[in-house]
């Protein structure tokens, strides 16, 4: 089966010479393989298309995809019109269980949720459809009773948005006002206590940090009285302890209240402990997506990491994602490119940061971990020269390139123009091979910054940071809104960039997997969130991980098959044994 997909946003008939039509071999023989609609944009006949791919290469805007699908994908679940995105399969929500979806961005997870929420009726690839057709199609399946409730209009749905930083644009007022408006289930007091939100209830929504907005979004979703709950990424901006706390809360909603919960999550450690079953999603971004049948969590995540789905006989990635079971081996003494003295910073007697002096080595990637509210962003801003310390000398006399935690695109400028203005090496072979190609920027060049999704904007911001001519690169939470594969790619890009150019990078992130894959050494933050923070001196990965996780009272074990870290149940046998040995993350050395 072959499908032709046209991205109408990219198709610009007024700015091209209709190359797709002129160079199509079937059109030249007289067939009407490509026509033009009333809007002047191409319409491709999939029945007549020979699949040569010439139109794909000739389209200067990259608006066309000709995709050969596996033979097993004959009956689509939904298609957005002719030459539109096609979805195959649906996740199956189950009462009393948390169902996870694991897969890259742009392959139909949001479409699945729209269908399950009843706002979009699946058309099975046809022009028209209705609920009677849907019920007939799913008769005798696990989804029949679910869609019967949706068709009657009695399905109550609660959704947590993916991009919580957009909440202040949609709601004006105090936090408590938003939460009380959502509190149709009557559990607000419990949720506020459970998510540790008492201090922010009377604060204005626009004054909240990203982590605080994330907790507000989770609480607002959970506070509603609904049959079906959908949480789209609970981890961005939350530290590891807050992520685990939120995951356990969602588990309670399913198991104790018998609710159907669907979760999309890219932090594999959190998804592993949160979900009861997992649907793996694969396909081609903006082209088509496939949602597999449910799998057990361990098997589903392991198959996704390996890049091969045996039941579907489908390879979804050329290489497996690999995890190291031991910390980086300390090599010979590497040149120190900069040192900083101890310093401190206070903010109106509300929060204070004490940083111990340290040194940073040439070509290394330094990870930064610690609870939210202990001054990690303040620390890197002081190193970057954006904030002056109250006491002590930072003493850094090098050029610094800084990617902030929160990225905003207020100016409608093309991505290509934006990067050309700030990238000293834009267009060079090094830039294209080491930065643009792995971060998949070519498809974004002609888009406006203001039109990009959170994940797309994050990739552009990472590229912009690495493109500047500097000695020291600081990236604050580069994993936010990136899927699992993109996070693995970003770790390789940053690591290779530092090694190839003898530059130093500092990465602040809460994704333990990413910090482990990217870091040679670690800076651990301690303290009382929102009151005081202590930035320890850089240390080895083993010492740093043990210190960080012992503060959180969390241990990780290793999956026997893929060696990926998995969170141990609190006070389990493995948890107690590892704590006694002082092995919180790296074990068996």
């Amino acid at each position: 089966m072959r499908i032709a997909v046209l991205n109408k946003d990219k198709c610009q008939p007024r700015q091209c010479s209709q190359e797709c039509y002129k160079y199509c071999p079937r059109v030249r023989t007289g067939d009407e393989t490509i026509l033009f609609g009333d809007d002047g944009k191409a319409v491709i006949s999939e029945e007549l298309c020979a699949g040569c791919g010439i139109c794909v290469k000739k389209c200067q805007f990259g608006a066309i995809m000709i995709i050969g699908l596996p033979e097993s994908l004959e009956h689509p679940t939904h298609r957005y019109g002719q030459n539109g995105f096609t979805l195959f399969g649906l996740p199956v929500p189950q009462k009393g269980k948390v169902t996870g979806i694991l897969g890259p961005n742009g392959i139909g997870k949001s479409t699945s949720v729209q269908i399950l929420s009843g706002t979009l009726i699946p058309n099975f690839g046809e022009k028209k459809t209705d609920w009677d057709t849907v019920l007939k199609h799913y008769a005798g399946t696990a989804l029949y009773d679910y869609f019967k409730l949706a068709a009657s209009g009695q399905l109550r749905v609660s959704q947590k948005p993916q991009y919580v930083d957009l909440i202040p644009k949609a709601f004006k007022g105090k936090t408590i006002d938003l939460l009380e408006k959502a509190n149709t289930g009557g559990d607000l007091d419990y949720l506020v206590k459970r998510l540790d939100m008492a201090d922010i209830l009377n604060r204005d929504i626009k004054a909240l940090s990203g982590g605080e907005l994330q907790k507000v979004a989770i609480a607002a979703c959970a506070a509603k009285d609904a049959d079906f709950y959908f949480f789209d990424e609970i981890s961005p901006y939350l530290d590891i302890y807050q992520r685990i706390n939120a995951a356990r809360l969602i588990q309670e909603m399913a198991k104790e209240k018998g609710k159907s919960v669907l979760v999309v999550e890219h932090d594999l450690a959190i998804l592993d402990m949160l979900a009861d079953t997992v649907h793996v999603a694969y396909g081609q971004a903006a082209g088509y997506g496939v949602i597999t049948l449910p799998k057990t969590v361990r098997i589903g995540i392991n198959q996704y990491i390996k890049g091969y789905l045996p039941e579907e006989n489908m390879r979804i990635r050329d290489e497996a994602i690999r995890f190291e079971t031991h910390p980086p081996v300390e090599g010979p003494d590497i040149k120190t490119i900069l040192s900083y003295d101890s310093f401190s910073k206070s903010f109106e007697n509300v929060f204070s940061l004490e940083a111990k002096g340290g040194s940073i080595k040439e070509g290394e990637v330094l990870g930064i971990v610690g609870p939210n509210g202990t001054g990690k962003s303040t620390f890197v801003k002081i190193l970057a020269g954006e904030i002056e310390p109250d006491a002590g000398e930072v003493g850094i006399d090098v050029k610094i390139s800084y990617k902030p935690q929160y990225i905003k695109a207020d100016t409608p400028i093309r991505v290509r123009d934006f990067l050309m203005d700030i990238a000293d090496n834009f267009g060079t072979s090094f830039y294209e091979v080491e930065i643009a190609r792995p971060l998949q920027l070519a498809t974004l060049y002609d888009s406006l910054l203001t039109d990009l999704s959170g994940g797309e904007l994050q990739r552009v911001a990472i590229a912009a940071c690495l493109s500047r001519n500097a000695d020291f690169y600081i990236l604050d939470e580069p994993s936010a809104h990136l899927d699992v594969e993109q996070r693995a790619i970003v770790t390789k890009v940053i690591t290779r960039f530092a090694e190839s150019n003898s530059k130093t990078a500092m990465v602040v992130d809460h994704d333990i997997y990413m910090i482990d894959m990217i870091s040679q050494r670690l800076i651990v933050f301690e303290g009382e969130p929102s009151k005081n923070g202590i930035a320890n001196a850089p240390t080895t990965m083993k010492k740093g991980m043990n210190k960080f996780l012992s503060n959180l009272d969390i241990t990780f074990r290793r999956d026997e098959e893929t060696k990926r870290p998995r969170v141990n149940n609190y006070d389990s046998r493995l948890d107690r044994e590892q704590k006694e040995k002082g092995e919180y993350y790296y074990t068996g050395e």
Side-chain angles (χ1 to χ4, degrees):
M1 181 178 176
R2 182 186 301 115
I3 62 171
V5 180
L6 178 77
N7 187 324
K8 291 194 174 184
D9 292 333
K10 291 183 177 181
C11 182
Q12 304 293 332
R14 295 182 180 179
Q15 300 180 33
C16 73
S17 301
Q18 299 182 344
E19 286 88 348
C20 59
Y21 178 85
K22 292 180 178 179
Y23 289 96
C24 176
R26 299 299 293 266
V27 170
R28 289 186 170 189
T29 62
D31 289 339
E32 295 183 339
T33 308
I34 299 179
L35 300 174
F36 294 92
D38 295 336
D39 57 0
K41 301 191 178 186
V43 178
I44 305 171
S45 170
E46 292 169 347
E47 291 78 11
L48 297 176
C49 176
C52 64
I54 293 177
C55 59
V56 177
K57 297 177 181 178
K58 291 296 182 181
C59 179
Q60 57 185 300
F61 302 107
I64 300 175
M65 288 186 284
I66 306 295
I67 304 171
L69 297 178
E71 293 181 3
S72 58
L73 301 179
E74 295 181 359
H75 306 291
T77 302
H78 186 78
R79 187 163 195 186
Y80 288 97
Q82 187 174 7
N83 299 149
F85 176 86
T86 309
L87 175 68
F88 298 87
L90 282 176
V92 183
Q94 301 178 59
K95 286 187 177 182
K97 292 188 177 181
V98 179
T99 303
I101 304 181
L102 174 60
N105 292 326
I107 57 170
K109 297 191 293 292
S110 297
T111 298
S112 299
V113 173
Q114 284 184 283
I115 293 173
L116 292 175
S117 64
T119 58
L120 179 66
I121 302 177
N123 59 17
F124 309 111
E126 303 296 332
K127 291 183 179 180
K128 294 183 179 180
T129 189
D130 53 37
W131 281 117
D132 289 337
T133 304
V134 174
L135 292 175
K136 184 178 180 180
H137 180 87
Y138 287 105
T141 71
L143 282 171
Y144 177 79
D145 290 336
Y146 184 90
F147 279 127
K148 190 174 181 179
L149 189 63
S152 66
Q154 298 177 4
L155 182 67
R156 297 169 300 171
V157 179
S158 180
Q159 298 186 44
K160 187 205 83 70
Q162 179 181 10
Y163 303 118
V164 297
D165 44 353
L166 299 179
I167 292 177
K169 295 182 180 179
F171 182 86
K172 307 296 181 184
K174 293 184 177 180
T175 302
I176 187 63
D177 297 331
L178 185 153
L179 293 174
E180 286 182 343
K181 186 177 180 181
N183 186 32
T184 57
D187 293 331
L188 182 57
D189 292 341
Y190 173 74
L191 292 170
V192 167
K193 182 179 179 180
R194 185 62 186 275
L195 294 172
D196 193 21
M197 297 168 55
D199 294 339
I200 66 172
L201 292 181
N202 292 312
R203 288 169 57 189
D204 196 290
I205 283 289
K206 65 182 180 182
L208 300 185
S209 67
E212 290 165 341
L213 285 173
Q214 188 68 267
K215 289 194 286 186
V216 168
I218 293 171
C221 180
K224 292 181 181 178
D225 183 19
D227 304 300
F228 171 54
Y229 293 85
F230 171 63
F231 293 88
D232 197 347
E233 291 191 43
I234 64 170
S235 62
Y237 310 127
L238 296 183
D239 62 40
I240 182 65
Y241 178 80
Q242 293 168 333
R243 293 179 183 193
I244 291 175
N245 187 37
R248 287 172 177 163
L249 172 65
I250 293 172
Q251 280 182 319
E252 290 175 9
M253 291 174 57
K255 290 178 171 57
E256 296 180 9
K257 295 186 177 183
K259 301 295 185 180
S260 298
V261 182
L262 185 66
V263 176
V264 173
E265 182 53 60
H266 299 302
D267 186 328
L268 295 181
I270 298 303
L271 182 65
D272 187 19
M273 68 168 292
L274 171 62
D276 296 298
T277 58
V278 165
H279 294 265
V280 176
Y282 66 92
Q284 187 168 335
Y288 79 101
V290 182
I291 309 293
T292 69
L293 294 173
K295 303 172 184 285
T296 63
V297 178
R298 179 178 176 273
I299 290 176
I301 293 179
N302 284 355
Q303 288 181 1
Y304 187 78
I305 287 174
K306 291 179 179 179
Y308 178 67
L309 308 177
E311 292 85 1
E312 291 77 14
N313 191 25
M314 177 62 60
R315 177 156 295 283
I316 60 175
R317 194 184 315 107
D318 293 335
E319 296 181 358
I321 298 174
R322 303 187 184 281
F323 298 93
E324 297 296 333
T325 57
H326 302 287
V329 179
E330 294 185 62
D333 190 25
I334 302 173
K335 176 184 176 183
T336 298
I337 66 162
L338 61 90
S339 298
Y340 57 92
D341 300 327
S342 298
F343 61 85
S344 62
K345 179 68 178 179
S346 297
F347 294 92
E348 300 177 355
N349 297 320
V350 175
F351 175 79
S352 62
L353 171 66
E354 297 287 337
K356 299 177 182 179
S359 61
I360 298 173
K361 300 179 180 180
E362 183 181 83
E364 78 169 339
V365 179
L366 196 60
I368 298 182
V369 295
N372 275 342
T374 53
K376 297 186 299 298
S377 294
T378 299
F379 175 79
V380 296
K381 285 180 180 178
I382 290 175
L383 292 186
E386 291 195 3
I387 299 176
E388 290 293 328
D390 295 332
E393 294 291 334
V394 178
I396 296 180
D397 186 22
V398 293
K399 291 182 180 180
I400 293 177
S401 179
Y402 173 56
K403 186 203 83 69
Q405 180 181 17
Y406 306 118
I407 308 165
K408 294 183 180 180
D410 299 321
T411 306
I413 181 176
R414 286 197 314 166
V415 171
R416 184 191 306 275
D417 298 331
F418 169 74
L419 291 174
M420 286 181 66
D421 289 343
I422 63 175
D424 299 298
N425 56 355
F426 184 84
T428 64
S429 58
F430 173 84
Y431 176 88
E432 291 300 325
V433 172
E434 299 294 335
I435 297 177
R437 191 177 300 168
L439 292 179
Q440 300 174 341
L441 299 181
T443 58
L444 305 178
Y445 280 155
D446 293 313
S447 302
L448 298 178
L449 283 178
T450 49
D451 294 336
L452 299 182
S453 68
E456 292 170 340
L457 193 59
Q458 186 72 261
R459 281 150 48 200
V460 171
I462 293 170
C465 177
L466 298 180
S467 299
R468 297 187 183 98
N469 184 18
D471 304 298
F472 187 28
Y473 296 81
I474 302 175
L475 299 99
D476 199 344
E477 198 155 356
S479 72
H481 304 309
L482 297 184
D483 60 43
V484 176
E485 297 184 29
Q486 290 169 341
R487 293 181 188 198
I489 290 171
V490 165
T491 60
K492 291 181 181 179
V493 169
I494 295 174
T495 302
R496 290 180 60 176
F497 177 86
E499 292 177 351
S500 300
N501 297 278
S502 298
K503 304 290 186 180
T504 300
M506 183 177 285
V507 176
V508 182
D509 213 287
H510 296 298
D511 187 325
I512 296 295
Y513 287 16
M514 187 170 185
I515 284 292
D516 179 44
M517 288 190 289
I518 202 172
S519 309
Q520 280 80 55
R521 290 193 301 157
L522 212 56
I523 295 178
V524 179
F525 275 68
E526 300 174 285
E528 190 174 357
S530 302
K531 293 184 178 180
N532 61 77
I534 300 173
N536 291 291
T539 186
T540 63
M541 286 295 293
K542 182 176 181 179
K543 290 180 181 178
M545 279 293 193
N546 280 341
K547 187 178 189 65
F548 171 54
L549 295 178
S550 64
N551 291 339
L552 298 175
D553 202 22
I554 296 170
T555 60
F556 284 77
R557 67 186 184 280
R558 295 284 173 175
D559 182 81
E560 295 179 0
E561 191 175 354
T562 62
K563 306 304 179 184
R564 63 182 173 88
R566 306 180 68 189
V567 179
N568 286 324
N569 291 327
Y570 180 74
D571 208 30
S572 64
R573 178 182 60 81
L574 280 176
D575 185 56
R576 295 194 304 270
E577 287 180 359
Q578 288 181 219
K579 286 175 180 176
E580 289 175 2
K581 296 178 182 178
E583 295 179 341
Y584 285 77
Y585 190 79
Y586 301 106
T587 59
E589 291 184 88

